[in-house]
Every structure is written in structure tokens, then in C-alpha cells.
Amino acid sequence: MQRPHKKKINKLTPKLLYASLQEHLLRFKDDFYNRPQSCPYCRSHKRKKHCIIKKLFCKIITMKGFRDIYVYVQIFQCKDCKKTYMAKAPFYLGIMYAKPVVDLILYLTAKNPFNRVEKILLELGIQIDRDTVRSYALKFQGKI
């Protein structure tokens, strides 16, 4: 059984192609999202701060290897139903990566097969595997 090859950006890929996208994604590094919203369970506006979590925004591929970009999100607890929920943040519910990355995946899957989307994202310097692309495409079929 062979081990999978480590992903790295092709040396022939022009830096212009991936550098600007990676710089854009790096601007999100260590952002803090604390804008409250009403409770998604009971729609109450009574809340208290519960904790702050560190959430993965995306993984980028650099010449030195993978680099994780994390953001911080405030968690609130509803005073009425006692359930916890996140502040408004650029994430879809139950999805690991952030909305901009997921939206890019969905845009690419509209015209390309899953394995091709993985290769395109590799050229752009974003680490996503084919199975993740497939699961996002199936979960958001109506959005594509």
C-alpha cells in the first residue's frame, strides 16, 4: 500500500496565481467575531457570553508546507433556553471551512468533477481533499 503524496504547489505554477488569494485569506488570520444574533433555537435576544472558540478558517499550502488559518468566535448562551450558539461569523452550520472557501468550492464544482476541483484548489494553494469537495457539493446541491 502506498502512502499518499504530500500536496505541494507545482513549481511551474506562477506565483501571481496563488499569492494574491493566499494573502487575502491570511488577512482573516486571528480575526475575532463577536457580533451577537438572536438565539437560533427560541429567537430570544437575552444572552450572555459563554466562551470564545478557535475555529479553522482554512488551510493553505505554502512552499514550506501547510499553514492553518484560525479565527476566534464568541459563543453565547441563551438565558431563556440555556442553549449555546455562535456569534455571526463567516461559517455555514456544521461545515469545517469558512464560507468564502466553501463558496469557491461550490462555484468550481458547477463545471468540474470533484477530483479536478481538488487539483484547481491545489494550484491556488488551498488544501481541500476530493471527499470534502464531494460532501460540500452534496450538502449544498441547491446552491450550485
Side-chain angles (χ1 to χ4, degrees):
M1 177 183 229
Q2 289 183 340
R3 292 187 172 249
H5 297 288
K6 287 188 177 180
K7 287 186 179 179
K8 54 186 172 183
I9 298 173
N10 189 333
K11 292 177 185 174
L12 299 175
T13 303
K15 190 171 183 175
L16 178 66
L17 186 63
Y18 63 87
S20 59
L21 179 63
Q22 287 186 346
E23 285 176 24
H24 176 71
L25 292 173
L26 282 169
R27 286 188 201 139
F28 290 98
K29 185 178 185 324
D30 296 330
D31 275 358
F32 179 55
Y33 296 96
N34 64 347
R35 209 167 97 202
Q37 60 182 353
S38 61
C39 175
Y41 305 102
C42 69
R43 299 287 176 219
S44 172
H45 291 283
K46 297 175 189 171
R47 64 188 160 267
K48 65 180 181 178
K49 292 181 178 178
H50 184 64
C51 64
I52 296 170
I53 61 168
K54 186 177 179 180
K55 194 152 171 63
L56 180 67
F57 190 84
C58 71
K59 286 182 181 228
I60 59 173
I61 305 167
T62 63
M63 292 300 183
K64 297 177 183 176
F66 294 130
R67 184 168 178 192
D68 293 342
I69 298 173
Y70 288 100
V71 295
Y72 296 91
V73 181
Q74 178 72 56
I75 302 295
F76 293 100
Q77 183 178 27
C78 178
K79 288 184 176 181
D80 290 340
C81 68
K82 305 292 186 226
K83 293 188 177 180
T84 58
Y85 59 94
M86 284 192 331
K88 287 186 180 178
F91 291 94
Y92 290 114
L93 189 63
I95 300 294
M96 184 171 77
Y97 292 110
K99 281 183 183 180
V101 177
V102 174
D103 290 342
L104 176 62
I105 291 169
L106 297 176
Y107 172 75
L108 293 171
T109 54
K111 300 275 184 181
N112 298 292
F114 306 136
N115 60 337
R116 180 68 187 132
V117 171
E118 179 187 17
K119 290 184 190 302
I120 293 169
L121 292 171
L122 172 63
E123 294 296 321
L124 294 174
I126 300 175
Q127 159 54 29
I128 301 279
D129 64 281
R130 183 201 62 202
D131 294 332
T132 303
V133 171
R134 181 180 176 275
S135 69
Y136 290 172
L138 294 174
K139 186 165 186 144
F140 296 106
Q141 277 180 343
K143 195 167 182 172
I144 297 175

